[in-house]
Amino acid sequence: QPILFIGYAPGELRLHNIVIPRFPEDAKIQRAYVEKINGVEMLFAETKGAVIAVACSRPFKRRSVGFIGKSDGMSQLRTHGWLKREYDLAEKGNVALSAEIEPGEGDSFLLVTAFGHSQAEAAHTALASLLTGFTQSKQHYITTWQQWHEKLWSPPDADKRYPLLNSSATTLRVSESKLFSGGILASLSI
């Protein structure tokens, strides 16, 4: 997400990003932690087979991982108005990833939430997103979807309208497995 602040005095705003990871079904958070990867400090939450990474194109001013209701960023913001304590590790529990980012006047920055099956994959995806930038990523996303829609089956009777064709095909496409070709969610009752 690209972010730009305009028209405020330095020090007037405090920007906080809070991520509450939610993994599917019975997946329990094994740990949340802070780690520097290739010089970029990131926040991670992981469960068996799934990892979330949070990174920013500028350094975090303060950051913390904590247990919701006890040591998380939201509790600290309610109590103190800022991230008073920084925690680097929270294991086995309901956690939140919190960071304070110093907004610069007229200076944009990129905030990234990335996913992977391992810490290395999530971190690589986050770093790639930071290096690629929002504009290029957005254009690639749009172009990919446009090309996919152009390849869809067209009805033989062009005059006949099929109003649900594109939306149905899109629903199936987003439900496809990213790991196994042809794999689709068992239930589309979302």
Side-chain angles (χ1 to χ4, degrees):
Q1 177 69 46
I3 300 166
L4 173 66
F5 287 91
I6 299 172
Y8 72 93
E12 185 179 352
L13 297 177
R14 294 187 94 144
L15 174 65
H16 294 90
N17 180 57
I18 310 277
V19 175
I20 301 172
R22 293 290 180 248
F23 291 104
E25 298 173 15
D26 294 334
K28 304 282 187 214
I29 301 285
Q30 291 178 339
R31 67 185 182 131
Y33 53 97
V34 178
E35 191 165 324
K36 194 173 264 192
I37 307 288
N38 290 348
V40 177
E41 192 170 50
M42 297 186 199
L43 308 175
F44 293 95
E46 64 182 41
T47 188
K48 187 176 181 178
V51 179
I52 294 175
V54 177
C56 188
S57 60
R58 65 173 53 174
F60 295 131
K61 184 175 179 182
R62 297 185 65 78
R63 81 293 176 280
S64 187
V65 295
F67 297 105
I68 292 178
K70 295 187 181 230
S71 58
D72 68 291
M74 291 181 300
S75 298
Q76 291 190 54
L77 290 174
R78 276 193 288 274
T79 305
H80 308 291
W82 62 293
L83 294 177
K84 185 175 181 178
R85 292 190 178 90
E86 294 181 276
Y87 299 100
D88 293 333
L89 178 65
E91 294 185 296
K92 297 186 186 336
N94 198 10
V95 299
L97 313 176
S98 309
E100 181 177 349
I101 302 153
E102 185 70 46
E105 168 66 29
D107 183 23
S108 69
F109 59 93
L110 197 60
L111 187 59
V112 174
T113 302
F115 304 89
H117 296 284
S118 66
Q119 181 216 33
E121 185 179 353
H124 174 78
T125 302
L127 288 170
S129 295
L130 289 175
L131 291 172
T132 302
F134 180 77
T135 303
Q136 187 174 342
S137 295
K138 177 183 171 186
Q139 189 55 52
H140 174 71
Y141 178 83
I142 291 169
T143 302
T144 302
W145 272 103
Q146 287 172 337
Q147 290 171 348
W148 181 80
H149 274 281
E150 288 170 3
K151 293 177 185 176
L152 280 179
W153 170 82
S154 296
D157 183 0
D159 295 334
K160 206 169 192 183
R161 306 223 3 114
Y162 295 88
L164 298 179
L165 178 64
N166 281 337
S167 64
S168 296
T170 301
T171 300
L172 289 172
R173 167 76 187 232
V174 299
S175 301
E176 287 180 353
S177 171
K178 307 304 181 255
L179 295 177
F180 304 104
S181 181
I184 298 177
L185 287 176
S187 171
L188 296 178
S189 59
I190 300 172

